Amino acid sequence: MKFLLRLSVTGILVVLLANLLPGVSTDSYWTAIIVALILGILNLIVRPVLVILTLPVTILTLGLFLLVINAFIILMTDGLIDGFSVDGFWWALLFSICLSILQSILDALVEK
């Protein structure tokens, strides 16, 4: 049940951010749900591999390179899903930062 709640909340956030950020677009709410699902799968499988492979750079930049990894995962999702598009790296970076912040806020509210 918690998984479905997180998936639907992330889908809503993707639609909200797609409407707020001009460089990001999604066709429908169902596309946003698929984006949320693919993001979850990529964060589960690809992100740990990328973090391990880029560990020296991540340490050297004091963890800021993790933002680049998040943007890369957003761009990978853009390549996998037809109804979701991101106009470039900087929009992907801004989208990932906003999505992370909003998810953190909503997770804190749900736990209370």
Side-chain angles (χ1 to χ4, degrees), residues 14 18 22-27 31-32 34-40 42 69-93 95-96 99:
V14 167
V24 180
S25 66
T26 185
D27 287 346
T31 304
I34 295 171
V35 167
L37 185 63
I38 297 298
L39 277 175
L42 290 175
I69 292 173
N70 286 344
F72 179 69
I73 289 175
I74 297 292
L75 290 173
M76 285 177 63
T77 305
D78 174 27
L80 292 173
I81 299 173
D82 289 331
F84 177 68
S85 67
V86 180
D87 287 342
F89 172 78
W90 295 109
W91 286 113
L93 183 67
F95 178 79
S96 70
L99 185 64

Side-chain angles (χ1 to χ4, degrees), residues 88-108:
F89 172 78
W90 295 109
W91 286 113
L93 183 67
L94 182 62
F95 178 79
S96 70
I97 291 170
C98 292
L99 185 64
S100 298
I101 290 171
L102 290 174
Q103 281 179 331
S104 298
I105 291 170
L106 288 177
D107 284 344

Side-chain angles (χ1 to χ4, degrees), residues 2 5 103-112:
K2 188 175 181 179
L5 179 64
Q103 281 179 331
S104 298
I105 291 170
L106 288 177
D107 284 344
L109 291 175
V110 168
E111 286 182 10
K112 287 183 179 181

